[in-house]
Amino acid sequence: MTLTLYSHPLASFCHKVLIALYEADTVFDAVTVDLGNPAEHAKFLDLWPVGKMPVLHDSARNATVAETSIIIEWLDRHHPGARPMLPADPDTRLEARLWDRFFDLHVHEPMQRIVFDRLRPEDRRDADAVAEAEQRLVTAWNMVETRMTGRTWAAGADFSIADCAAAPALFFAGLLVPFGDRPALQGYFDRLTGRPSCRRVLAEARPWFDHFPFRDRIPQRFLDGNGA
Ligand SMILES: N[C@@H](CCC(=O)N[C@@H](CS)C(=O)NCC(=O)O)C(=O)O
C-alpha cells in the first residue's frame, strides 16, 4: 500500500484527515498508534519528533507528511480523489485555507486545552485557562453563526478542507460549550455529522468514547450510532 496513516480513531485531528480520505475514496493503510504505550510512542517520535498525530507516509515518494492541513493538500496534489478538498478557484481556495485555520486555531485548540485540563489531577487544573478557552469558543460560535448564515459549507459551494477541519472541532468543542440559540451553526453541525465521511469517522470513534473525559455529554444518538 502506498499510503499509511498513523493515527488513532478517537483523536480529533486524525478525524480531520480521515474525513478527507473518505471523501476522496482514497485507499490507505491505517496504523493505530497508542501514545500511552511507551514503545509505540517512542516509535512514533522517530517518525515525527513533535509527537502529534496524524502523520502520513507516502512510500511512492518516500515522504513523511505531518500537520493535517499539509496532509490534506498533499493528498489533493499527489492522490487526487473523487472530490478535491482544495477548491480550484484561487480566491475560494484562500477562503478555504482561512476557515481551515480558523477551525484548527480558534475552535480545535481551545477545545484541546479544556480536555487536557480535565485529564490532569484536580490539584493541577487551571480554572482561569479553562474559562478563557470557553470564552474563545463563545467568540468562535458567534463568528460561525454569522459565517454560516445562508451558506451550506464553510468556503465555496462544495465541501472542502475547511469542513474537514470544522467537523471534529465542532463535534468535540460543542460538548464543552453548547451552540445555544445559533441556528446557522447548529444547521451546519447537523449537515457535517450527516455526511457519510463524518458518520464513518464517528462510528469508528464510538468504541473509544469511554476514554473521552466528557463522554457523559455526548448525545445518545452518537453513542448508539443513530447520529453517526
Ligand atoms: N497542528 C497539528 C495538531 C495535531 C494534534 O494536536 N494531534 C493530537 C491528537 S488530536 C495529538 O497528537 N496529541 C498528542 C500529544 O499532544 O501528545 C495538526 O494539525 O496535525
Side-chain angles (χ1 to χ4, degrees):
M1 190 70 59
T2 301
L3 295 174
T4 305
L5 188 73
Y6 295 85
S7 66
H8 190 283
L10 184 60
S12 46
F13 270 107
C14 300
H15 290 187
K16 176 177 159 185
V17 168
L18 287 166
I19 289 167
L21 285 160
Y22 295 157
E23 284 288 332
D25 280 330
T26 304
V27 177
F28 66 101
D29 269 336
V31 174
T32 296
V33 180
D34 174 6
L35 291 180
N37 174 319
E40 283 190 37
H41 195 187
K43 233 170 108 184
F44 185 67
L45 290 177
D46 284 343
L47 197 64
W48 182 237
V50 166
K52 300 279 183 191
M53 294 192 280
V55 168
L56 181 81
H57 186 73
D58 186 341
S59 63
R61 290 174 182 77
N62 195 22
T64 297
V65 190
E67 288 293 324
T68 51
S69 305
I70 308 301
I71 295 173
I72 293 174
E73 287 215 34
W74 177 275
L75 290 168
D76 247 32
R77 186 174 304 175
H78 297 297
H79 303 271
R83 302 180 191 92
M85 291 295 111
L86 276 299
D89 171 69
D91 289 339
T92 313
R93 189 158 66 234
L94 204 55
E95 255 185 70
R97 286 213 184 94
L98 169 67
W99 285 93
D100 166 72
R101 297 293 71 233
F102 173 84
F103 285 112
D104 277 12
L105 299 174
H106 305 299
V107 179
H108 215 135
E109 200 268 342
M111 176 275 284
Q112 283 184 321
R113 260 172 204 258
I114 298 169
V115 171
F116 289 149
D117 187 83
R118 180 56 67 98
L119 290 169
R120 289 197 195 114
E122 244 172 274
D123 62 336
R124 287 181 45 215
R125 291 189 190 155
D126 183 343
D128 287 346
V130 168
E132 194 232 352
E134 287 171 346
Q135 190 49 51
R136 288 175 63 196
L137 290 177
V138 172
T139 301
W141 292 169
N142 289 334
M143 290 178 69
V144 178
E145 179 66 14
T146 303
R147 173 69 181 176
M148 293 314 297
T149 298
R151 307 185 66 90
T152 302
W153 303 116
D158 299 318
F159 190 94
S160 75
I161 186 173
D163 305 300
C164 297
L170 294 185
F171 180 83
F172 288 102
L175 303 173
L176 310 179
V177 174
F179 298 150
D181 184 19
R182 294 183 181 86
L185 169 58
Q186 184 64 52
Y188 179 44
F189 178 74
D190 292 342
R191 275 191 298 287
L192 287 169
T193 50
R195 190 108 178 152
S197 58
C198 300
R199 290 169 70 93
R200 183 170 168 191
V201 161
L202 287 173
E204 289 165 357
R206 199 177 308 130
W208 300 89
F209 278 155
D210 281 349
H211 298 270
F212 181 63
F214 295 95
R215 185 215 186 266
D216 56 317
R217 299 193 194 175
I218 299 177
Q220 193 57 39
R221 68 182 193 281
F222 294 113
L223 295 175
D224 60 22
N226 295 331

